[in-house]
Amino acid sequence: MIPFTKAHACGNDFLIISEEAAAGYDKVELARRLCERNTGIGADGIEFFGWTGDFSGRIRLYNADGSIAEISGNGTRCVAAWMANELNLQAGDELSIETDAGVRVCKIDGFRESEIGGPTIMVTTDMDVPEFEARTVELADDTVIEGVYVSMGNPHFVILLDSPEQDVLRGGYPLDASERTLAMLDFSIDGRSWDEIGQEICFHPDFPEQTNVEFVHALGSQSEQINLVGIRIFERGVGPTSSSGTGTSATATAMIGVYGAVSPLEVAAPGGIQTVEWAGPGEKLYLTGPATLVARGEAW
């Protein structure tokens, strides 16, 4: 039997399994089997964890399809929440988590009980210094997509939807004023659905290691500068997801660094809103959001 904890960050869900418990298992097969939504536990990925100190650990992320990802911002935050719960930490305490993209320092901001699931822990993560550049991608039908390539330790291609041909087909972007979450939306670019285009870009030859893809729409402004955006995400190794920590960070990098948005920038995905603070090129980026512990159990 394999003990696990399930957690989610804005609906982006992960299993946390110790390296010791996973010893002897094929992790690729284990990730595919346990992450399967109908016949397994269901998750976007597994964070395999090992303690490296009293307040530090090492994680490696296997996506739902068995592929290895350098980092997940939401997955790292879920692990930080789990560590904080295990260690009975307090607001202001910090944790160090080593990922395949480097060490990420997570500060515990506070605790609250979730209406669904276990405790919810607010965490601010030092996401390190992003790198970005404007880039275009030509699709198989000769459509040219302008965007911004961003590295958050993993690859992203961010597309700003800013023309009538690249707009929402129905429903607008209705924000619930109390919950401040973004409704699930369907939109198209030149008559093709966002997830179809996201999949093509994800596997495009321009990205030999594949890429995550974010579609962005400006939602709010302050003094004519954007301070709130909505996103949909096609995640490498997973597909459409309700949220992404690195995707949120990459979106903010593109919006602040290229399109003139302001920091702090709120980024609303279908699973909820996260906040990014970034002073600009060459500076570290900070991501704040919730992580909820959902369940503990054992798997065969």
Side-chain angles (χ1 to χ4, degrees):
M1 301 292 285
I2 304 172
F4 69 87
T5 297
K6 182 169 181 175
H8 80 86
C10 298
N12 194 195
D13 56 345
F14 300 87
L15 306 179
I16 303 167
I17 296 176
S18 73
E19 289 282 4
E20 182 180 2
Y25 287 88
D26 181 335
K27 290 179 180 175
V28 172
E29 187 277 332
L30 192 64
R32 290 172 178 168
R33 178 164 60 86
L34 296 187
C35 291
E36 219 289 325
R37 301 257 174 215
N38 295 315
T39 59
I41 300 164
D44 290 326
I46 298 179
E47 295 280 11
F48 291 100
F49 175 86
W51 292 100
T52 58
D54 292 340
F55 299 94
S56 62
R58 174 75 169 89
I59 55 176
R60 188 165 223 203
L61 171 61
Y62 282 69
N63 290 319
D65 69 353
S67 62
I68 298 173
E70 301 89 344
I71 186 174
S72 164
N74 282 348
T76 301
R77 190 162 76 245
C78 285
V79 171
W82 173 81
M83 293 170 70
N85 190 68
E86 292 290 302
L87 297 169
N88 295 313
L89 297 187
Q90 304 296 316
D93 289 338
E94 291 188 347
L95 296 159
S96 178
I97 301 176
E98 183 182 352
T99 76
D100 282 359
V103 174
R104 299 293 183 263
V105 175
C106 298
K107 181 171 72 71
I108 306 304
D109 295 323
F111 301 78
R112 68 171 186 263
E113 290 300 316
S114 173
E115 294 180 2
I116 301 176
T120 293
I121 301 173
M122 294 297 294
V123 180
T124 294
T125 305
D126 173 356
M127 297 295 290
D128 208 352
V129 180
E131 299 177 357
F132 66 99
E133 64 177 7
R135 189 181 293 186
T136 60
V137 172
E138 184 174 343
L139 304 183
D141 63 2
D142 297 326
T143 299
V144 175
I145 303 292
E146 295 183 358
V148 180
Y149 175 79
V150 182
S151 174
M152 295 302 311
N154 63 348
H156 295 263
F157 189 71
V158 181
I159 302 164
L160 176 62
L161 307 177
D162 60 356
S163 71
E165 293 77 23
Q166 297 177 318
D167 212 345
V168 180
L169 285 180
R170 64 176 186 270
Y173 279 90
L175 278 178
D176 183 300
S178 59
E179 298 296 330
R180 293 186 56 88
T181 57
L182 188 64
M184 296 290 284
L185 299 170
D186 293 317
F187 58 84
S188 67
I189 298 177
D190 294 330
R192 299 177 61 193
S193 67
W194 71 272
D195 50 334
E196 178 187 352
I197 289 179
Q199 182 174 30
E200 181 173 349
I201 294 174
C202 176
F203 292 95
H204 196 280
D206 286 357
F207 305 106
E209 302 298 323
Q210 302 178 18
T211 187
N212 303 283
V213 187
E214 286 79 38
F215 299 87
V216 189
H217 195 96
L219 298 178
S221 62
Q222 176 180 331
S223 301
E224 299 183 355
Q225 290 182 304
I226 299 167
N227 65 348
L228 172 65
V229 299
I231 62 172
R232 291 305 306 265
I233 306 146
F234 192 95
E235 186 167 328
R236 179 184 59 164
V238 180
T241 56
S242 64
S243 181
S244 168
T246 57
T248 294
S249 300
T251 295
T253 298
M255 293 303 297
I256 296 170
V258 177
Y259 297 114
V262 295
S263 176
L265 179 68
E266 291 186 302
V267 180
I273 288 182
Q274 300 181 65
T275 302
V276 174
E277 294 187 64
W278 186 48
E283 299 293 333
K284 288 187 174 184
L285 181 148
Y286 296 89
L287 173 69
T288 299
T292 300
L293 303 180
V294 177
R296 295 181 186 270
E298 292 182 324
W300 294 99

